Amino acid sequence: MMKEEKFNHLKTLFEDEDEDEEKIIKATEGIEALLDLIGEDKDREGLQDTPYRFLKAFAEYTQGYKIDPKTYLETQFEAESHDVVVVRDIPFESACEHHLARFHGVAHVAYIPSEKITGLSKFPRMINGYARRLQVQERLTAQVADAIYDVLNPEACAVVIEASHSCMTARGAMAHGSSTKTFAVRGDKNLLDYLK
């Protein structure tokens, strides 16, 4: 059984109300059952705190559900020019919604400001807000492009995401070294050439 301070820590991480404590108990029991299913001893020294550690990590992996990521882009400044802005190689981590397997990579964004710009640090925050949910790369790419287009109202924007998916490299096809690239373009101009 999980110690009370660890249980209370999980309640805080998941912002769980007292009447929903049963969800944490069921999740803990589910992880213990999974360990049992593969033939492990959940009471072995190295596994005694695994349900707690897993749930703690899972809360961090999915913290994007607690925010509206596009709000990061609401910090804006007057655009002094209407030239292309490019932010490249923004790292992110996410989880595939089909297997709960991790995928990671980089995002590149480009936009042509109309009236407003945002701080460059807002792009990684926004991208990681969407990435820290159960995702598919195609949706993640579209969400980032839509947020930029809807909130900053640029003349155009483009997003390219390149990622390696452990659901494809560590299981199934075992396609080590493979990567996936997705593209999204919004507005009247195709900015993908800036992201190559």
Side-chain angles (χ1 to χ4, degrees):
M1 190 63 178
M2 188 180 300
K3 293 182 180 175
E4 185 175 350
E5 71 263 10
K6 291 181 179 177
F7 184 80
N8 288 333
H9 184 224
L10 289 176
K11 282 174 44 179
T12 303
L13 290 175
F14 286 101
E15 298 177 353
D16 208 6
E17 300 296 326
D18 287 339
E19 61 268 12
D20 292 333
E21 289 181 2
E22 189 65 28
K23 291 178 184 177
I24 292 174
I25 293 168
K26 286 181 179 180
T28 300
E29 290 170 347
I31 296 161
E32 290 173 347
L34 182 61
L35 292 171
D36 186 49
L37 178 67
I38 63 170
E40 272 291 355
D41 176 7
K42 68 177 175 56
D43 296 318
R44 183 167 61 80
E45 181 182 13
L47 295 177
Q48 288 174 0
D49 281 339
T50 295
Y52 165 73
R53 286 190 298 261
F54 176 85
L55 290 173
K56 184 176 149 187
F58 200 72
E60 186 175 341
Y61 296 158
T62 58
Q63 64 189 0
Y65 288 112
K66 295 180 181 179
I67 59 169
D68 180 358
K70 67 182 172 187
T71 60
Y72 288 115
L73 302 178
E74 292 174 358
T75 300
Q76 298 179 4
F77 311 96
E78 291 298 319
E80 295 180 17
S81 76
H82 300 285
D83 297 319
V84 177
V85 177
V86 177
V87 184
R88 296 183 55 81
D89 300 317
I90 302 167
F92 72 90
E93 291 272 340
S94 193
C96 163
E97 69 181 27
H98 303 132
H99 304 97
L100 301 183
R102 306 296 295 153
F103 70 94
H104 68 278
V106 293
H108 316 291
V109 300
Y111 74 106
I112 300 175
S114 53
E115 296 177 17
K116 300 286 187 177
I117 60 171
T118 191
L120 298 177
S121 70
K122 304 307 180 191
F123 292 106
R125 287 182 171 95
M126 181 261 302
I127 290 165
N128 281 295
Y130 286 117
R132 295 231 174 231
R133 299 173 175 193
L134 300 182
Q135 276 289 9
V136 295
Q137 185 173 330
E138 298 87 344
R139 181 188 318 121
L140 175 60
T141 307
Q143 287 174 328
V144 170
D146 289 341
I148 294 168
Y149 199 67
D150 294 345
V151 178
L152 294 179
N153 195 28
E155 292 179 32
C157 71
V159 176
V160 176
I161 293 185
E162 302 173 69
S164 177
H165 294 251
S166 63
C167 61
M168 207 167 94
T169 61
R171 59 158 301 280
M174 301 294 282
H176 303 287
S178 67
S179 66
T180 301
K181 191 180 280 193
T182 48
F183 305 84
V185 178
R186 304 289 184 268
D188 296 334
K189 297 180 177 128
N190 185 341
L191 300 179
L192 289 177
D193 285 341
Y194 291 96
L195 299 178
K196 290 182 180 175

